[in-house]
Amino acid sequence: MKEKKRVYEALVDGAMEGLVGDALYDFVRRRCPKASSKKIVRASLLALTDPHLKDRNILDVIYALAIKHRLDDTTIEDEQDEEAEEQDRRPTAGKDQPPLS
């Protein structure tokens, strides 16, 4: 959750500075280098549902970024990379134990 909040903050900060499209995406990636397209899209959706964020221009920029990267081919690659990372992090209970007879 902490990483999603950092991505969210970078996204909103960049949009408030007037960045759009690829410039905003690059800004977020510079501030959060481990953020995948999928995580940026999720943070975008979080921003769109934030009741405190009311500036229509910022919401439009964030929405456009989310749509673009949700449909982007790199999102599929990021999802596969994330799934592989999750599998590597999962505990392997009983991996070193001999099979039951």
Side-chain angles (χ1 to χ4, degrees), residues 24-43:
L24 178 58
Y25 182 81
D26 293 341
F27 177 83
V28 173
R29 290 297 301 254
R30 276 193 305 276
R31 285 211 11 206
C32 305
K34 293 184 180 181
S36 64
S37 290
K38 184 177 180 180
K39 288 179 183 176
I40 293 172
V41 168
R42 286 182 178 170

Side-chain angles (χ1 to χ4, degrees), residues 39-94:
K39 288 179 183 176
I40 293 172
V41 168
R42 286 182 178 170
S44 299
L45 296 176
L46 180 64
L48 293 172
T49 60
D50 185 350
H52 298 97
L53 193 57
K54 297 179 181 178
D55 187 323
R56 171 121 182 149
N57 293 329
I58 291 172
L59 293 171
D60 285 343
V61 167
I62 291 172
Y63 177 76
L65 181 87
I67 294 298
K68 178 181 180 193
H69 287 281
R70 177 64 182 107
L71 300 175
D72 194 3
D73 290 337
T74 58
T75 304
I76 295 167
E77 293 170 6
D78 284 344
E79 288 176 6
Q80 293 169 349
D81 291 344
E82 283 182 6
E83 288 173 4
E85 287 176 9
E86 286 176 14
Q87 288 176 353
D88 291 344
R89 283 185 271 172
R90 288 185 187 146
T92 53

